[in-house]
Amino acid sequence: MSEKNESNKRIAKNTALLYVRMFFSMAISLYTSRVVLSTLGVEDFGIYGVVGGIVTLFDFLNASMSGCTSRFLTFELGRGDRKNLHDTFSTAMFVHIAIAVAVLLIAEPVGIWFMHAKMQVPSDRMDAAQIVFHLSVLSMMINVTQVPYNASIISHERMDVYAYVEMANVGLKLLIVYLLQIGNFDKLVLYAVLVFLVSAFIALFYRVYCVRNFSECHVHRVWRPDVFKKMLAFSGWDLYGNLSVTMRTQGVNMLLNMFFGPIMNAAASIATQVQGAVMAFAQNVTTAVRPQIIKRYAAGEVNSMVSLVRNAVKLNFLVILLITTPLITELHYVLNLWLGQVPPNAVVFCSFTLLFNFFSNLSFLLVTGIHATGKIFRPSLINGSLYLLVVPISYISFRLGGAAWTSYLFNVLAVFIGMLSNAYTLKLYIKEFKFDNFLFRDLLPCLSLMIIVFALSFSIGYVMEEGLLRLLTVCFVSTITISFVGYMFILPKSIQRKIVEKINSKIRWEKEI
């Protein structure tokens, strides 16, 4: 019981640290995004988003091994096997180096061909776009070989490191904005170079920290075929799912460029940034609980793991709803306040990506439970097929004259169906997880609350004029509603008791002072 309480305290502490990191990062990002858009211009901003996105078409290789490495390192930590932990890290490192080389050999010729043959890039900006592409390839190679180190930090639950490094990262982003404004050089090229240098510096810092603090991060010459086969089987089944996610995301971005031009990519880039900012809120919960989900399964504490997954689903949903409600209902005002110059269709793109966040995060938590078992063929096949279908369906829609936002609608439908499929798969693999309980005691109450809150918020929009007062009113009403209904009808009794205990201890402490 004491170990469980300690792990719960660790989750709470890590979540708090990740929120500090996120708020600090978001405050700076809101400013830097506006300045970058203004300095580069809508067209160059769109070019940077779509050209840099070509490289992420190859990210499915890295994504597969990333989830695999994190799972196996965390699993070995949960079992307490230090030798296997060390061998697993070294094996993973050699595999990621091979992936980085493969990315270089494949991405360079394929990406350059695609840029010239298929993309709509103005001829006078092609040279700058190619530089952006080359730097993106180098960045991805660094990120690929960085995966085992980041996985070690997460597996050891050292979230405070992320908080401190992010403070340095956002400081460097401010420096990028300053140099971008005073630099007497092609702004698009200068921005790409500076972003690359910052990402390389951050990666170097993480590596030095891991080598100094985690013994398994000292790479040694070892080849464990048994470890490699397990990792290969896991990542192999996961490969199709990650490839499909990458093809869906970047495939839609390419289709937007082919049918509507780089201006539409600027709107898509804004939607991606808004989505990322909101996802950061929810991912603080998922990042903090993921190691504990896998460790509890590895230790045979299945009931505790199932309880953690279900509680994380509820908390995750409430956090996203708290942030998303005022954004969706007041998106036009918020984007104008933030950017000043809002690309066409950015509002509708952002609305759909914000809806996408709800089910994507819940799906990720369910998949984490599945990953703990090591059986990932079924969810990878089903989810991958659903996500991959978004691209041809979007293409047909665009060919028939459909609006650009239809692809985002298809995204939302695919991720919702995939989430339900993941819940059913978890029930098949772990008998302690009940699909009916998830559907009627977890998901349905959350969706009911979402409908109520959106109805109240949009009603305020009809009776008040757009502006800061209406935004603050929506924030206040939605926060009160979500907090009250979430506490009374969604959070489990155990969490309710802990909240009351925290409040009572805080009151007693203040009285003593």
Side-chain angles (χ1 to χ4, degrees):
M1 181 62 70
S2 62
E3 289 183 3
K4 183 178 178 181
N5 288 336
E6 284 299 318
S7 67
N8 289 335
K9 289 179 180 178
R10 194 179 306 116
I11 291 172
K13 177 185 175 182
N14 287 334
T15 303
L17 286 169
L18 289 170
Y19 272 115
V20 171
R21 168 183 180 264
M22 179 210 59
F23 279 118
F24 192 69
S25 176
M26 184 176 295
I28 302 301
S29 295
L30 289 174
Y31 169 72
T32 56
S33 297
R34 176 182 179 127
V35 176
V36 169
L37 175 60
S38 175
T39 305
L40 294 183
V42 174
E43 185 173 75
D44 274 4
F45 189 78
I47 290 173
Y48 182 85
V50 71
V51 171
I54 293 177
V55 179
T56 58
L57 284 170
F58 303 92
D59 196 39
F60 65 93
L61 289 170
N62 188 38
S64 298
M65 284 306 301
S66 176
C68 170
T69 303
S70 179
R71 187 267 175 188
F72 278 92
L73 289 178
T74 306
F75 193 87
E76 296 302 337
L77 274 173
R79 291 204 310 169
D81 192 329
R82 305 301 300 184
K83 184 180 184 304
N84 267 352
L85 178 64
H86 195 185
D87 290 349
T88 298
F89 181 89
S90 295
T91 303
M93 193 66 214
F94 294 136
V95 172
H96 278 84
I97 291 173
I99 292 175
V101 174
V103 167
L104 176 65
L105 296 177
I106 298 173
E108 278 289 339
V110 173
I112 294 298
W113 168 81
F114 191 84
M115 285 177 59
H116 286 274
K118 299 296 182 181
M119 291 183 59
Q120 293 187 34
V121 178
S123 57
D124 61 324
R125 303 305 293 149
M126 183 57 75
D127 289 341
Q130 289 186 164
I131 293 175
V132 171
F133 174 74
H134 294 316
L135 290 173
S136 297
V137 172
L138 291 176
S139 293
M140 186 171 183
M141 292 181 68
I142 293 174
N143 291 336
V144 167
T145 56
Q146 179 64 23
V147 165
Y149 296 99
N150 286 350
S152 293
I153 294 174
I154 294 175
S155 297
H156 285 277
E157 301 180 69
R158 298 286 183 86
M159 307 309 173
D160 55 331
V161 178
Y162 280 115
Y164 299 142
V165 174
E166 186 60 26
M167 292 180 184
N169 190 23
V170 295
L172 291 172
K173 286 181 180 178
L174 285 174
L175 180 60
I176 287 177
V177 168
Y178 174 72
L179 294 176
L180 189 63
Q181 290 180 304
I182 67 171
N184 187 20
F185 197 68
D186 186 301
K187 301 295 185 182
L188 179 57
V189 174
L190 179 60
Y191 181 65
V193 170
L194 293 173
V195 169
F196 168 75
L197 292 175
V198 168
S199 64
F201 174 77
I202 295 299
L204 178 62
F205 179 89
Y206 278 132
R207 294 183 190 211
V208 172
Y209 175 86
C210 288
V211 170
R212 289 186 175 181
N213 291 274
F214 309 136
S215 59
E216 71 271 12
C217 292
H218 293 268
V219 179
H220 66 296
R221 296 170 61 182
V222 63
W223 185 247
R224 289 278 302 274
D226 56 330
V227 174
F228 176 72
K229 287 179 182 178
K230 289 179 182 178
M231 296 180 71
L232 184 63
F234 187 96
S235 60
W237 291 124
D238 204 30
L239 188 65
Y240 175 70
N242 284 306
L243 172 61
S244 300
V245 170
T246 301
M247 291 298 295
R248 178 200 63 188
T249 304
Q250 297 305 323
V252 167
N253 207 16
M254 300 302 170
L255 289 177
L256 290 174
N257 179 267
M258 292 167 61
F259 282 92
F260 303 100
I263 300 298
M264 199 64 71
N265 292 124
S269 294
I270 294 299
T272 300
Q273 290 189 41
V274 172
Q275 179 188 25
V278 175
M279 286 279 274
F281 279 87
Q283 285 177 344
N284 290 329
V285 177
T286 58
T287 302
V289 302
R290 189 176 192 274
Q292 281 296 321
I293 290 174
I294 297 174
K295 287 177 181 177
R296 291 184 188 186
Y297 181 84
E301 301 172 4
V302 180
N303 286 320
S304 176
M305 171 204 146
V306 169
S307 177
L308 182 58
V309 170
R310 292 186 60 196
N311 290 342
V313 162
K314 296 172 185 177
L315 287 171
N316 195 290
F317 195 95
L318 292 176
V319 168
I320 299 179
L321 187 61
L322 196 65
I323 305 303
T324 300
T325 301
L327 278 179
I328 286 185
T329 54
E330 299 298 316
L331 197 52
H332 182 268
Y333 175 74
V334 170
L335 289 182
N336 274 287
L337 190 66
W338 170 33
L339 298 172
Q341 180 185 7
V342 181
N345 286 284
V347 172
V348 65
F349 284 5
C350 288
S351 297
F352 279 112
T353 56
L354 290 173
L355 288 176
F356 175 90
N357 283 352
F358 282 101
F359 311 115
S360 176
N361 274 280
L362 301 192
S363 188
F364 179 80
L365 286 166
L366 296 169
V367 167
T368 298
I370 298 171
H371 278 192
T373 69
K375 304 173 184 178
I376 63 171
F377 168 71
R378 177 187 167 93
S380 295
L381 179 63
I382 295 176
N383 290 318
S385 299
L386 286 170
Y387 298 157
L388 201 57
L389 281 173
V390 172
V391 178
I393 292 175
S394 298
Y395 177 80
I396 294 171
S397 174
F398 294 162
R399 289 283 293 180
L400 295 176
W405 58 262
T406 55
S407 61
Y408 285 82
L409 174 61
F410 301 145
N411 264 336
V412 174
L413 294 175
V415 77
F416 180 76
I417 297 171
M419 177 201 64
L420 294 178
S421 172
N422 289 333
Y424 188 77
T425 300
L426 187 57
K427 170 251 183 187
L428 294 178
Y429 292 166
I430 299 178
K431 66 178 187 301
E432 288 83 357
F433 183 86
K434 307 299 182 183
F435 181 76
D436 290 347
N437 286 345
F438 169 78
L439 198 62
F440 295 108
R441 296 185 182 180
D442 301 335
L443 182 61
L444 188 59
C446 288
L447 292 178
S448 300
L449 175 58
M450 182 173 72
I451 293 171
I452 293 171
V453 173
F454 277 138
L456 287 173
S457 299
F458 279 112
S459 297
I460 293 172
Y462 281 111
V463 298
M464 296 181 66
E465 293 186 2
E466 182 179 277
L468 180 60
L469 180 60
R470 193 173 81 178
L471 174 62
L472 294 175
T473 303
V474 169
C475 289
F476 177 78
V477 172
S478 62
T479 300
I480 294 299
T481 306
I482 294 169
S483 300
F484 177 76
V485 178
Y487 176 82
M488 295 297 297
F489 301 104
I490 294 180
L491 293 180
K493 298 295 184 182
S494 59
I495 295 182
Q496 289 179 5
R497 286 194 297 269
K498 289 179 181 178
I499 292 175
V500 172
E501 289 172 2
K502 284 289 184 181
I503 294 174
N504 288 336
S505 64
K506 180 69 175 177
I507 293 174
R508 286 195 299 269
W509 181 77
E510 289 181 348
K511 285 182 177 179
E512 290 175 1
I513 293 179

